[in-house]
Short mmCIF file of all heavy atoms in Angstrom, two decimals:
data_model
loop_
_atom_site.label_atom_id
_atom_site.label_comp_id
_atom_site.label_asym_id
_atom_site.label_seq_id
_atom_site.Cartn_x
_atom_site.Cartn_y
_atom_site.Cartn_z
N LEU A 1 12.98 -20.88 52.02
CA LEU A 1 14.22 -20.81 52.80
C LEU A 1 15.41 -20.46 51.92
O LEU A 1 16.28 -19.68 52.31
CB LEU A 1 14.48 -22.13 53.53
CG LEU A 1 13.58 -22.42 54.72
CD1 LEU A 1 13.83 -23.84 55.23
CD2 LEU A 1 13.81 -21.42 55.83
N LYS A 2 15.46 -21.03 50.71
CA LYS A 2 16.56 -20.72 49.80
C LYS A 2 16.53 -19.25 49.39
O LYS A 2 17.56 -18.59 49.32
CB LYS A 2 16.50 -21.62 48.57
CG LYS A 2 16.98 -23.03 48.84
CD LYS A 2 16.97 -23.87 47.58
CE LYS A 2 17.44 -25.29 47.88
NZ LYS A 2 17.44 -26.13 46.67
N LYS A 3 15.31 -18.73 49.13
CA LYS A 3 15.20 -17.31 48.78
C LYS A 3 15.66 -16.45 49.95
O LYS A 3 16.37 -15.47 49.76
CB LYS A 3 13.74 -16.97 48.43
CG LYS A 3 13.28 -17.52 47.10
CD LYS A 3 11.81 -17.19 46.88
CE LYS A 3 11.27 -17.91 45.66
NZ LYS A 3 9.82 -17.70 45.51
N GLY A 4 15.23 -16.82 51.14
CA GLY A 4 15.65 -16.08 52.33
C GLY A 4 17.14 -16.15 52.54
O GLY A 4 17.78 -15.16 52.91
N GLN A 5 17.72 -17.30 52.28
CA GLN A 5 19.17 -17.47 52.42
C GLN A 5 19.90 -16.58 51.42
O GLN A 5 20.88 -15.93 51.77
CB GLN A 5 19.55 -18.93 52.21
CG GLN A 5 21.04 -19.18 52.36
CD GLN A 5 21.40 -20.64 52.13
OE1 GLN A 5 20.55 -21.46 51.80
NE2 GLN A 5 22.66 -20.95 52.29
N ASN A 6 19.40 -16.51 50.19
CA ASN A 6 20.03 -15.67 49.18
C ASN A 6 19.95 -14.19 49.58
O ASN A 6 20.93 -13.45 49.43
CB ASN A 6 19.37 -15.87 47.81
CG ASN A 6 19.70 -17.23 47.21
OD1 ASN A 6 20.71 -17.85 47.55
ND2 ASN A 6 18.86 -17.71 46.31
N ARG A 7 18.80 -13.77 50.10
CA ARG A 7 18.67 -12.38 50.55
C ARG A 7 19.62 -12.11 51.71
O ARG A 7 20.27 -11.07 51.77
CB ARG A 7 17.23 -12.09 50.98
CG ARG A 7 16.28 -11.86 49.81
CD ARG A 7 14.97 -11.26 50.30
NE ARG A 7 14.34 -12.08 51.31
CZ ARG A 7 13.31 -12.89 51.11
NH1 ARG A 7 12.78 -12.98 49.91
NH2 ARG A 7 12.80 -13.59 52.09
N LEU A 8 19.71 -13.06 52.62
CA LEU A 8 20.60 -12.92 53.77
C LEU A 8 22.06 -12.84 53.33
O LEU A 8 22.83 -12.01 53.84
CB LEU A 8 20.40 -14.08 54.74
CG LEU A 8 21.20 -14.04 56.04
CD1 LEU A 8 20.88 -12.77 56.83
CD2 LEU A 8 20.91 -15.27 56.87
N GLU A 9 22.43 -13.68 52.38
CA GLU A 9 23.81 -13.64 51.88
C GLU A 9 24.11 -12.30 51.22
O GLU A 9 25.19 -11.74 51.40
CB GLU A 9 24.05 -14.79 50.91
CG GLU A 9 24.16 -16.15 51.59
CD GLU A 9 24.23 -17.32 50.61
OE1 GLU A 9 24.05 -17.12 49.38
OE2 GLU A 9 24.47 -18.44 51.08
N GLY A 10 23.14 -11.77 50.49
CA GLY A 10 23.32 -10.45 49.86
C GLY A 10 23.50 -9.36 50.91
O GLY A 10 24.36 -8.49 50.78
N ARG A 11 22.71 -9.43 51.95
CA ARG A 11 22.82 -8.44 53.02
C ARG A 11 24.15 -8.59 53.76
O ARG A 11 24.75 -7.60 54.19
CB ARG A 11 21.65 -8.55 53.96
CG ARG A 11 20.32 -8.17 53.27
CD ARG A 11 19.17 -8.20 54.19
NE ARG A 11 19.15 -6.91 54.88
CZ ARG A 11 18.26 -6.59 55.79
NH1 ARG A 11 17.33 -7.45 56.12
NH2 ARG A 11 18.28 -5.42 56.36
N MET A 12 24.60 -9.81 53.93
CA MET A 12 25.89 -10.04 54.60
C MET A 12 27.03 -9.47 53.76
O MET A 12 27.97 -8.87 54.31
CB MET A 12 26.12 -11.54 54.85
CG MET A 12 25.29 -12.10 55.98
SD MET A 12 25.57 -11.29 57.57
CE MET A 12 27.29 -11.64 57.85
N ASP A 13 26.95 -9.65 52.44
CA ASP A 13 27.98 -9.07 51.56
C ASP A 13 27.99 -7.55 51.72
O ASP A 13 29.05 -6.92 51.82
CB ASP A 13 27.73 -9.45 50.10
CG ASP A 13 28.00 -10.92 49.82
OD1 ASP A 13 28.69 -11.57 50.64
OD2 ASP A 13 27.54 -11.42 48.78
N ASN A 14 26.80 -6.96 51.75
CA ASN A 14 26.68 -5.51 51.93
C ASN A 14 27.26 -5.10 53.28
O ASN A 14 27.99 -4.12 53.39
CB ASN A 14 25.21 -5.10 51.82
CG ASN A 14 25.03 -3.61 51.90
OD1 ASN A 14 25.88 -2.84 51.48
ND2 ASN A 14 23.90 -3.18 52.43
N PHE A 15 26.94 -5.87 54.30
CA PHE A 15 27.44 -5.60 55.65
C PHE A 15 28.96 -5.68 55.69
O PHE A 15 29.63 -4.82 56.29
CB PHE A 15 26.82 -6.59 56.64
CG PHE A 15 27.27 -6.40 58.05
CD1 PHE A 15 26.81 -5.34 58.81
CD2 PHE A 15 28.16 -7.30 58.63
CE1 PHE A 15 27.23 -5.15 60.12
CE2 PHE A 15 28.57 -7.13 59.93
CZ PHE A 15 28.11 -6.06 60.68
N GLU A 16 29.52 -6.69 55.04
CA GLU A 16 30.98 -6.84 55.02
C GLU A 16 31.63 -5.66 54.31
O GLU A 16 32.68 -5.16 54.75
CB GLU A 16 31.37 -8.16 54.35
CG GLU A 16 31.08 -9.37 55.21
CD GLU A 16 31.31 -10.69 54.48
OE1 GLU A 16 31.74 -10.69 53.31
OE2 GLU A 16 31.05 -11.74 55.11
N GLY A 17 31.01 -5.18 53.24
CA GLY A 17 31.52 -4.00 52.54
C GLY A 17 31.51 -2.77 53.44
O GLY A 17 32.47 -1.99 53.48
N ARG A 18 30.43 -2.63 54.18
CA ARG A 18 30.32 -1.49 55.10
C ARG A 18 31.35 -1.61 56.22
O ARG A 18 31.94 -0.61 56.64
CB ARG A 18 28.92 -1.41 55.66
CG ARG A 18 27.88 -1.03 54.60
CD ARG A 18 26.47 -1.10 55.09
NE ARG A 18 26.23 -0.07 56.07
CZ ARG A 18 25.13 -0.01 56.81
NH1 ARG A 18 24.19 -0.92 56.67
NH2 ARG A 18 24.97 0.96 57.69
N MET A 19 31.58 -2.83 56.70
CA MET A 19 32.58 -3.03 57.75
C MET A 19 33.98 -2.70 57.23
O MET A 19 34.78 -2.09 57.95
CB MET A 19 32.53 -4.47 58.27
CG MET A 19 31.32 -4.78 59.12
SD MET A 19 31.20 -3.75 60.60
CE MET A 19 32.65 -4.25 61.49
N ASP A 20 34.26 -3.09 55.99
CA ASP A 20 35.57 -2.76 55.40
C ASP A 20 35.76 -1.24 55.34
O ASP A 20 36.84 -0.73 55.67
CB ASP A 20 35.70 -3.37 54.01
CG ASP A 20 35.84 -4.88 54.04
OD1 ASP A 20 36.16 -5.43 55.12
OD2 ASP A 20 35.63 -5.52 52.98
N ARG A 21 34.71 -0.53 54.90
CA ARG A 21 34.81 0.93 54.83
C ARG A 21 34.98 1.53 56.22
O ARG A 21 35.74 2.47 56.41
CB ARG A 21 33.57 1.52 54.14
CG ARG A 21 33.56 1.29 52.63
CD ARG A 21 32.49 2.09 51.93
NE ARG A 21 31.14 1.82 52.36
CZ ARG A 21 30.37 0.84 51.93
NH1 ARG A 21 30.82 0.01 51.00
NH2 ARG A 21 29.14 0.68 52.39
N LEU A 22 34.28 0.96 57.20
CA LEU A 22 34.39 1.44 58.57
C LEU A 22 35.81 1.23 59.11
O LEU A 22 36.38 2.12 59.76
CB LEU A 22 33.37 0.73 59.47
CG LEU A 22 33.30 1.17 60.92
CD1 LEU A 22 32.98 2.66 61.03
CD2 LEU A 22 32.27 0.35 61.66
N GLU A 23 36.38 0.07 58.82
CA GLU A 23 37.75 -0.19 59.26
C GLU A 23 38.73 0.79 58.63
O GLU A 23 39.66 1.27 59.28
CB GLU A 23 38.14 -1.64 58.95
CG GLU A 23 37.46 -2.66 59.85
CD GLU A 23 37.73 -4.09 59.43
OE1 GLU A 23 38.38 -4.31 58.39
OE2 GLU A 23 37.28 -4.99 60.17
N THR A 24 38.50 1.11 57.36
CA THR A 24 39.35 2.08 56.67
C THR A 24 39.20 3.45 57.32
O THR A 24 40.20 4.15 57.56
CB THR A 24 38.98 2.16 55.18
OG1 THR A 24 39.18 0.87 54.58
CG2 THR A 24 39.80 3.19 54.44
N ASP A 25 37.96 3.83 57.60
CA ASP A 25 37.71 5.12 58.24
C ASP A 25 38.37 5.19 59.62
O ASP A 25 38.96 6.22 59.99
CB ASP A 25 36.21 5.39 58.38
CG ASP A 25 35.53 5.65 57.04
OD1 ASP A 25 36.24 5.87 56.04
OD2 ASP A 25 34.28 5.63 57.01
N ILE A 26 38.30 4.12 60.37
CA ILE A 26 38.92 4.09 61.71
C ILE A 26 40.44 4.22 61.58
O ILE A 26 41.08 4.93 62.35
CB ILE A 26 38.52 2.81 62.46
CG1 ILE A 26 37.06 2.90 62.91
CG2 ILE A 26 39.42 2.58 63.67
CD1 ILE A 26 36.50 1.62 63.50
N SER A 27 40.99 3.54 60.60
CA SER A 27 42.43 3.62 60.36
C SER A 27 42.84 5.06 60.04
O SER A 27 43.84 5.57 60.58
CB SER A 27 42.78 2.70 59.20
OG SER A 27 44.01 2.12 59.36
N GLU A 28 42.06 5.71 59.18
CA GLU A 28 42.35 7.10 58.83
C GLU A 28 42.20 8.00 60.04
O GLU A 28 43.00 8.93 60.25
CB GLU A 28 41.42 7.56 57.70
CG GLU A 28 41.73 6.92 56.37
CD GLU A 28 40.72 7.27 55.29
OE1 GLU A 28 39.77 8.05 55.55
OE2 GLU A 28 40.86 6.74 54.17
N LEU A 29 41.20 7.72 60.86
CA LEU A 29 40.98 8.52 62.06
C LEU A 29 42.15 8.37 63.04
O LEU A 29 42.62 9.36 63.62
CB LEU A 29 39.67 8.10 62.74
CG LEU A 29 39.25 8.88 63.97
CD1 LEU A 29 39.08 10.36 63.66
CD2 LEU A 29 37.97 8.30 64.54
#
């Protein structure tokens, strides 16, 4: 479960980064 949680947290960080880029792209659009 701890390993899965760590993988999930890593994916969430990646997701948040992608969301930030998406928000920037929307702003530019």
Side-chain angles (χ1 to χ4, degrees):
L1 287 172
K2 284 183 180 180
K3 288 177 188 174
Q5 181 181 3
N6 289 337
R7 282 193 304 257
L8 183 59
E9 286 173 352
R11 294 183 84 181
M12 285 302 298
D13 289 343
N14 184 31
F15 180 74
E16 287 174 2
R18 292 173 68 189
M19 287 300 296
D20 289 343
R21 286 191 300 276
L22 183 59
E23 287 174 356
T24 299
D25 290 347
I26 287 172
S27 214
E28 289 174 2
L29 183 59

